[in-house]
């Protein structure tokens, strides 16, 4: 995600022709790239929540074994 995040200013600086290319009306590639970062953050957050749920279940089973004496 860090590489993806820093790609926007790097591309705007080093490839302004590409990033200023209009896609639809006044919307250019740079705007779409910037908006895609929000979706990327949401996807990463959803993956984290899913993984954290598995870690919570694993932690609970360990605690149950410790409390049960097994």
């Amino acid at each position: 995600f860090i590489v993806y995040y820093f790609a926007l200013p790097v591309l705007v600086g080093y490839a302004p022709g590409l990033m200023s290319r209009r896609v639809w009306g006044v919307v250019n590639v740079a705007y779409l790239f910037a908006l895609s970062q929000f979706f990327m953050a949401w996807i990463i957050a959803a993956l984290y929540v899913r993984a954290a749920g598995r870690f919570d279940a694993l932690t609970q089973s360990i605690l149950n074994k410790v409390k049960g004496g097994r």
Side-chain angles (χ1 to χ4, degrees):
F1 179 76
I2 296 296
V3 171
Y4 189 73
Y5 179 77
F6 283 112
L8 178 62
V10 169
L11 285 172
V12 168
Y14 289 107
L18 170 69
M19 298 306 278
S20 65
R21 187 173 294 154
R22 293 185 186 258
V23 176
W24 181 64
V26 297
V27 177
N28 59 21
V29 174
Y31 283 134
L32 292 178
F33 195 91
L35 288 174
S36 72
Q37 290 182 348
F38 287 102
F39 294 109
M40 180 64 80
W42 292 334
I43 290 169
I44 290 172
L47 292 172
Y48 174 77
V49 166
R50 195 170 105 191
R54 287 194 301 259
F55 294 144
D56 289 344
L58 182 60
T59 303
Q60 190 60 43
S61 70
I62 292 169
L63 288 174
N64 289 338
K65 287 180 182 179
V66 169
K67 287 180 183 177
R70 293 184 183 182

